[in-house]
PDB file of all heavy atoms in Angstrom:
ATOM      1  N   ALA A   4     -34.306  27.475  53.707  1.00  0.00           N
ATOM      2  CA  ALA A   4     -34.557  28.741  54.321  1.00  0.00           C
ATOM      3  C   ALA A   4     -35.909  29.274  53.953  1.00  0.00           C
ATOM      4  O   ALA A   4     -36.316  29.002  52.818  1.00  0.00           O
ATOM      5  CB  ALA A   4     -33.394  29.685  53.953  1.00  0.00           C
ATOM      6  N   PHE A   6     -36.277  32.559  53.752  1.00  0.00           N
ATOM      7  CA  PHE A   6     -36.106  33.802  52.987  1.00  0.00           C
ATOM      8  C   PHE A   6     -34.578  33.959  52.804  1.00  0.00           C
ATOM      9  O   PHE A   6     -33.804  33.263  53.439  1.00  0.00           O
ATOM     10  CB  PHE A   6     -36.560  35.100  53.686  1.00  0.00           C
ATOM     11  CG  PHE A   6     -35.940  35.356  54.969  1.00  0.00           C
ATOM     12  CD1 PHE A   6     -34.715  36.089  55.013  1.00  0.00           C
ATOM     13  CD2 PHE A   6     -36.434  34.859  56.159  1.00  0.00           C
ATOM     14  CE1 PHE A   6     -34.059  36.471  56.223  1.00  0.00           C
ATOM     15  CE2 PHE A   6     -35.888  35.200  57.360  1.00  0.00           C
ATOM     16  CZ  PHE A   6     -34.728  35.982  57.427  1.00  0.00           C
ATOM     17  N   VAL A   8     -31.579  36.916  51.966  1.00  0.00           N
ATOM     18  CA  VAL A   8     -31.201  38.404  51.814  1.00  0.00           C
ATOM     19  C   VAL A   8     -29.834  38.502  51.234  1.00  0.00           C
ATOM     20  O   VAL A   8     -28.928  37.832  51.649  1.00  0.00           O
ATOM     21  CB  VAL A   8     -31.187  39.070  53.273  1.00  0.00           C
ATOM     22  CG1 VAL A   8     -30.650  40.493  53.118  1.00  0.00           C
ATOM     23  CG2 VAL A   8     -32.593  39.023  53.960  1.00  0.00           C
ATOM     24  N   SER A  23     -21.781  33.848  53.909  1.00  0.00           N
ATOM     25  CA  SER A  23     -23.190  33.383  54.163  1.00  0.00           C
ATOM     26  C   SER A  23     -23.410  33.202  55.696  1.00  0.00           C
ATOM     27  O   SER A  23     -22.458  32.727  56.202  1.00  0.00           O
ATOM     28  CB  SER A  23     -23.534  32.314  53.293  1.00  0.00           C
ATOM     29  OG  SER A  23     -22.715  31.224  53.727  1.00  0.00           O
ATOM     30  N   SER A  24     -24.528  33.483  56.140  1.00  0.00           N
ATOM     31  CA  SER A  24     -24.831  33.154  57.487  1.00  0.00           C
ATOM     32  C   SER A  24     -26.320  32.990  57.755  1.00  0.00           C
ATOM     33  O   SER A  24     -27.151  33.507  56.992  1.00  0.00           O
ATOM     34  CB  SER A  24     -24.372  34.324  58.442  1.00  0.00           C
ATOM     35  OG  SER A  24     -24.871  35.529  58.070  1.00  0.00           O
ATOM     36  N   ILE A  25     -26.706  32.234  58.714  1.00  0.00           N
ATOM     37  CA  ILE A  25     -28.088  31.916  58.947  1.00  0.00           C
ATOM     38  C   ILE A  25     -28.597  33.048  59.934  1.00  0.00           C
ATOM     39  O   ILE A  25     -27.875  33.409  60.798  1.00  0.00           O
ATOM     40  CB  ILE A  25     -28.288  30.555  59.828  1.00  0.00           C
ATOM     41  CG1 ILE A  25     -27.572  29.361  59.031  1.00  0.00           C
ATOM     42  CG2 ILE A  25     -29.663  30.297  60.113  1.00  0.00           C
ATOM     43  CD1 ILE A  25     -28.288  29.043  57.695  1.00  0.00           C
ATOM     44  N   VAL A  26     -29.717  33.583  59.554  1.00  0.00           N
ATOM     45  CA  VAL A  26     -30.308  34.655  60.226  1.00  0.00           C
ATOM     46  C   VAL A  26     -31.809  34.243  60.495  1.00  0.00           C
ATOM     47  O   VAL A  26     -32.565  34.141  59.550  1.00  0.00           O
ATOM     48  CB  VAL A  26     -30.302  35.990  59.445  1.00  0.00           C
ATOM     49  CG1 VAL A  26     -31.003  37.077  60.185  1.00  0.00           C
ATOM     50  CG2 VAL A  26     -28.894  36.352  59.000  1.00  0.00           C
ATOM     51  N   GLU A  27     -32.085  34.062  61.820  1.00  0.00           N
ATOM     52  CA  GLU A  27     -33.393  33.499  62.213  1.00  0.00           C
ATOM     53  C   GLU A  27     -33.705  32.199  61.405  1.00  0.00           C
ATOM     54  O   GLU A  27     -32.965  31.340  61.500  1.00  0.00           O
ATOM     55  CB  GLU A  27     -34.432  34.553  62.102  1.00  0.00           C
ATOM     56  CG  GLU A  27     -34.238  35.651  63.087  1.00  0.00           C
ATOM     57  CD  GLU A  27     -35.230  36.733  63.026  1.00  0.00           C
ATOM     58  OE1 GLU A  27     -36.378  36.600  62.502  1.00  0.00           O
ATOM     59  OE2 GLU A  27     -34.972  37.901  63.511  1.00  0.00           O
ATOM     60  N   ASP A  28     -34.705  32.243  60.566  1.00  0.00           N
ATOM     61  CA  ASP A  28     -35.032  31.199  59.709  1.00  0.00           C
ATOM     62  C   ASP A  28     -34.679  31.323  58.228  1.00  0.00           C
ATOM     63  O   ASP A  28     -35.365  30.793  57.310  1.00  0.00           O
ATOM     64  CB  ASP A  28     -36.464  30.635  59.876  1.00  0.00           C
ATOM     65  CG  ASP A  28     -37.543  31.722  59.433  1.00  0.00           C
ATOM     66  OD1 ASP A  28     -37.104  32.890  59.427  1.00  0.00           O
ATOM     67  OD2 ASP A  28     -38.604  31.422  59.303  1.00  0.00           O
ATOM     68  N   GLY A  29     -33.782  32.279  57.980  1.00  0.00           N
ATOM     69  CA  GLY A  29     -33.336  32.480  56.562  1.00  0.00           C
ATOM     70  C   GLY A  29     -31.883  32.596  56.424  1.00  0.00           C
ATOM     71  O   GLY A  29     -31.101  32.183  57.250  1.00  0.00           O
ATOM     72  N   LEU A  30     -31.432  33.129  55.258  1.00  0.00           N
ATOM     73  CA  LEU A  30     -30.028  33.003  54.959  1.00  0.00           C
ATOM     74  C   LEU A  30     -29.701  34.383  54.493  1.00  0.00           C
ATOM     75  O   LEU A  30     -30.406  35.019  53.658  1.00  0.00           O
ATOM     76  CB  LEU A  30     -29.823  32.066  53.804  1.00  0.00           C
ATOM     77  CG  LEU A  30     -28.377  32.035  53.255  1.00  0.00           C
ATOM     78  CD1 LEU A  30     -27.482  31.330  54.294  1.00  0.00           C
ATOM     79  CD2 LEU A  30     -28.364  31.060  51.912  1.00  0.00           C
ATOM     80  N   MET A  31     -28.601  34.996  55.037  1.00  0.00           N
ATOM     81  CA  MET A  31     -28.078  36.267  54.542  1.00  0.00           C
ATOM     82  C   MET A  31     -26.751  36.109  53.846  1.00  0.00           C
ATOM     83  O   MET A  31     -25.877  35.344  54.328  1.00  0.00           O
ATOM     84  CB  MET A  31     -27.864  37.253  55.761  1.00  0.00           C
ATOM     85  CG  MET A  31     -27.273  38.568  55.133  1.00  0.00           C
ATOM     86  SD  MET A  31     -27.238  39.944  56.333  1.00  0.00           S
ATOM     87  CE  MET A  31     -25.963  39.280  57.478  1.00  0.00           C
ATOM     88  N   VAL A  32     -26.671  36.575  52.588  1.00  0.00           N
ATOM     89  CA  VAL A  32     -25.424  36.460  51.833  1.00  0.00           C
ATOM     90  C   VAL A  32     -24.888  37.813  51.585  1.00  0.00           C
ATOM     91  O   VAL A  32     -25.543  38.681  50.967  1.00  0.00           O
ATOM     92  CB  VAL A  32     -25.688  35.665  50.320  1.00  0.00           C
ATOM     93  CG1 VAL A  32     -24.526  35.562  49.701  1.00  0.00           C
ATOM     94  CG2 VAL A  32     -26.559  34.393  50.680  1.00  0.00           C
TER      95      VAL A  32
END
Side-chain angles (χ1 to χ4, degrees):
F6 63 90
V8 174
S23 64
S24 55
I25 304 295
V26 179
E27 295 182 18
D28 59 342
L30 179 68
M31 180 171 65
V32 184

